[in-house]
Amino acid sequence: GQNTNITLPLYDCFTACDYFSSSTDLVILKSVLYKTLLLDLCDKVEETMCMLLCDFSSSIRSKAAKGLCRLAAANPQLIVKEIYRQALDAMIRDSAISVREEGVHMMRIFLSVPQDRDASNLIDELRFMIHDEGISVRKAVVAMFKDIMISQPDHPAYHGMAVCLLERMCYPKEEESIKEAIALIFHQLWFVPPTEANLAIMKSIM
């Protein structure tokens, strides 16, 4: 048999068949090398994007923030990494509206993970960000509150979010599009028949 004790660089995984006579060994090798290569690339991409969040250009920071959100959306388990927590803190405090908006989208991913240790803190942060100067940021927060309130009527922050939305709707200088969006939320909550799942939840808490 051929000698298999050969160290191959990861980028040679596509030509590894030259060193193996067994098709089974080749499949296993490719599987291991692909996974190792992808994980290594993912780590490097995450690190690069986090570095770009400190760039002077708001356009570059926005693209980096969007890229991190897409990575996290594709695999929500990634956000257990501390690098994502640090990235979120930087995004929601960025001077660029587009970056802060991506920060709201990132919060949605954090809140989608069961028993997130900072869930209550994130909700408090969202209640603060609904007053953001960026219209797109406020719209993103309103959309997230809508999803939570409609799908989770037993959410511990339900009443706080409702009060927050009503206060914002009554703010004289608020954009009409946001006022209308909030009005539609309460119309759906109060006048649209609840789903069977929501009825079951409401019965359990009454």
Side-chain angles (χ1 to χ4, degrees):
Q2 294 181 344
N3 180 18
T4 59
N5 296 321
I6 299 176
T7 301
L8 299 176
L10 287 177
Y11 52 77
D12 280 346
C13 62
F14 297 104
T15 60
C17 56
D18 294 336
Y19 300 93
F20 287 81
S21 58
S22 168
S23 59
T24 302
D25 287 344
L26 177 58
V27 170
I28 294 174
L29 176 70
K30 280 190 174 183
S31 176
V32 172
L33 289 180
Y34 285 151
K35 185 173 182 179
T36 304
L37 177 61
L38 289 174
L39 288 175
D40 185 57
L41 286 175
C42 185
D43 289 341
K44 286 184 173 11
V45 168
E46 290 168 345
E47 292 172 4
T48 301
M49 288 183 177
C50 284
M51 289 176 60
L52 291 175
L53 286 176
C54 300
D55 196 271
F56 288 112
S57 169
S58 61
S59 175
I60 290 177
R61 296 199 307 276
S62 180
K63 287 181 173 62
K66 187 181 294 290
L68 279 172
C69 281
R70 288 182 177 177
L71 280 175
N75 183 7
Q77 296 307 313
L78 288 174
I79 61 171
V80 299
K81 297 181 178 180
E82 186 60 28
I83 193 172
Y84 279 90
R85 192 74 58 167
Q86 295 170 355
L88 175 62
D89 289 340
M91 289 159 67
I92 62 178
R93 289 168 176 75
D94 198 276
S95 60
I97 292 173
S98 58
V99 178
R100 295 199 301 276
E101 180 185 353
E102 293 300 329
V104 175
H105 296 321
M106 181 74 83
M107 283 191 200
R108 179 185 292 274
I109 303 169
F110 271 92
L111 290 172
S112 71
V113 176
Q115 300 178 339
D116 184 88
R117 68 180 188 275
D118 290 332
S120 60
N121 292 336
L122 293 178
I123 293 292
D124 288 341
E125 194 69 52
L126 288 169
R127 292 172 64 180
F128 173 78
M129 293 186 75
I130 201 171
H131 303 292
D132 194 276
E133 65 176 348
I135 296 175
S136 62
V137 176
R138 299 200 302 275
K139 284 184 175 180
V141 175
V142 168
M144 192 181 305
F145 279 179
K146 172 191 173 184
D147 291 345
I148 294 174
M149 293 173 68
I150 289 177
S151 64
Q152 304 176 55
D154 60 339
H155 195 286
Y158 183 97
H159 297 294
M161 288 186 285
V163 170
C164 189
L165 289 173
L166 287 171
E167 288 177 347
R168 196 64 208 178
M169 187 173 68
C170 295
Y171 184 64
K173 296 183 179 180
E174 182 55 277
E175 289 287 322
E176 287 301 318
S177 61
I178 293 181
K179 289 183 178 181
E180 291 173 2
I182 295 174
L184 285 173
I185 292 173
F186 286 103
H187 179 273
Q188 186 169 354
L189 288 170
W190 294 340
F191 301 111
V192 175
T195 63
E196 291 185 7
N198 280 1
L199 281 174
I201 292 173
M202 285 187 279
K203 286 180 180 178
S204 69
I205 62 178
M206 290 178 66

